[in-house]
Amino acid sequence: MHMSEWIKAKGDFVSILALEIVGGYSANGKFHFKSAIHRNEFDRISRQLRKENDRCANSDHTPLK
């Protein structure tokens, strides 16, 4: 039997996007997940999105004018 999991909600875009991808929801200042597997997937997606964001921010591209 799977127990629901939750963590304290984070208000940043990456966390909210990752929550939507795994099918969780936000209520009462907490992110709720269907199971520990969904929470682990949320953590993995969040790390991946942050890593990609950092990589793009540190690239040597020229800004658009």
Side-chain angles (χ1 to χ4, degrees):
M1 181 172 142
H2 293 290
M3 304 272 305
S4 66
E5 296 272 321
W6 66 270
I7 60 172
K8 185 177 178 188
K10 302 170 189 162
D12 63 291
F13 178 77
V14 168
S15 296
I16 294 169
L17 178 61
L19 182 69
E20 288 293 319
I21 291 171
V22 299
Y25 65 95
S26 179
N28 299 325
K30 299 176 183 175
F31 285 170
H32 297 264
F33 307 94
K34 294 177 186 174
S35 68
I37 295 169
H38 288 91
R39 178 172 177 197
N40 291 340
E41 189 67 7
F42 166 83
D43 291 336
R44 185 191 66 78
I45 291 169
S46 294
R47 281 191 308 274
Q48 183 180 359
L49 289 171
R50 288 182 207 292
K51 183 178 176 182
E52 184 66 21
N53 187 46
D54 290 345
R55 185 189 66 78
C56 291
N58 293 328
S59 68
D60 291 335
H61 69 279
T62 57
L64 298 175
K65 294 182 179 183

